[in-house]
Amino acid sequence: MKYYQKLIENNAQWAAEMTANDPDFFAKREAKQTPHYLVIGCSDSRVPLEMMTGALPGEMFVHRNIGNQVWETDMNILSVLQFAVHVLDVEHVIVCGHSNCGALKAAQGPQSNGLVDHWLSDIRDLIRTQRPALDACPDAEARLHRLSHLNVLQQVGILSRMPTILDAWSRGRRPMLHGWVYDIGTGLIERVVEQVDSAERAVALLPAH
Ligand code: CO
């Protein structure tokens, strides 16, 4: 119970701190949100998207799932993407992977993980199609790091073919797509790919196979 109670205490302290310098901090945000970013991250508890980027409430629209994946059949992310791009008009869509991702580790092994194996199947496919690039890595650590990059590039590529994104691009240049890998061990973001604004550019992201 003490861990749970701590959350409530922290919340009260945080709300007091935020209004200490700006009494209207929360009131200003009540009516609407105008985020500049949609960030698609992993559910991993060590990847605090707002905290690690200094994003304030209202700045970042967030979707998280295991392995920061973009599935064309996932009604959840399709809805998030559609709302973020067409209603909120975000300028940037960022896929944020991370080091030591349990999803990527699990997808590399032969062991069964139960229900989550369905969700890892696209990552297993990616590992199969990118085997030459992965096998060229000198050790398991380098291989996992490479896979974290490939996974982010794969998801940016899928985003670039989404009707929601293509429709937005046909009417202008928003949003830009970006791919990051966050290093849990240093707290720093590695920029894997930036400013993808066409399907042609996205197609060339992954090594040919
Ligand atoms: Co992860």
Side-chain angles (χ1 to χ4, degrees):
M1 191 64 187
K2 65 176 179 178
Y3 295 112
Y4 169 78
Q5 192 60 36
K6 188 72 184 157
L7 293 179
I8 307 301
E9 290 168 10
N10 286 347
N11 170 251
Q13 189 182 342
W14 173 74
E17 283 170 6
M18 299 310 272
T19 49
N21 291 328
D22 181 358
D24 296 329
F25 182 85
F26 294 106
K28 281 189 289 196
R29 290 163 169 80
E30 225 178 348
K32 65 168 188 163
Q33 58 172 331
T34 53
H36 301 296
Y37 324 97
L38 163 63
V39 183
I40 300 163
C42 185
S43 298
D44 194 301
S45 62
R46 300 165 296 177
V47 188
L49 295 170
E50 287 99 337
M51 196 183 290
M52 74 199 211
T53 56
L56 291 171
E59 289 185 339
M60 186 179 278
F61 204 64
V62 168
H63 178 84
R64 297 175 74 155
N65 63 45
I66 292 173
N68 42 272
Q69 298 185 68
V70 179
W71 281 52
E72 287 158 284
T73 52
D74 177 7
M75 190 56 73
N76 189 343
I77 197 164
L78 292 177
S79 304
V80 166
L81 187 68
Q82 197 272 341
F83 187 73
V85 171
H86 288 306
V87 180
L88 298 175
D89 194 24
V90 296
E91 292 151 56
H92 305 276
V93 177
I94 302 159
V95 177
C96 182
H98 67 97
S99 63
N100 271 330
C101 182
L104 301 185
K105 284 184 184 174
Q108 287 189 91
Q111 76 281 7
S112 170
N113 304 285
L115 187 65
V116 76
D117 278 328
H118 293 289
W119 186 247
L120 298 180
S121 62
D122 270 18
I123 298 175
R124 288 192 200 278
D125 284 345
L126 176 68
I127 291 168
R128 266 192 292 278
T129 55
Q130 293 297 326
R131 194 169 294 286
L134 292 168
D135 284 352
C137 296
D139 54 37
E141 190 181 341
R143 187 184 173 93
L144 185 59
H145 186 244
R146 183 84 178 109
L147 180 56
S148 69
H149 281 221
L150 293 171
N151 184 44
V152 161
L153 293 171
Q154 170 86 333
Q155 310 313 323
V156 170
I158 293 170
L159 279 175
S160 76
R161 298 188 292 275
M162 290 274 197
T164 296
I165 296 291
L166 292 172
D167 183 53
W169 282 346
S170 75
R171 291 184 285 107
R173 291 174 62 83
R174 300 171 84 163
M176 292 280 191
L177 309 181
H178 313 269
W180 296 346
V181 169
Y182 171 75
D183 189 325
I184 288 173
T186 65
L188 295 174
I189 292 164
E190 187 180 356
R191 296 179 292 180
V192 179
V193 64
E194 292 186 301
Q195 309 208 25
V196 174
D197 60 359
S198 73
E200 293 74 27
R201 169 120 194 266
V203 162
L205 293 177
L206 280 175
H209 52 79

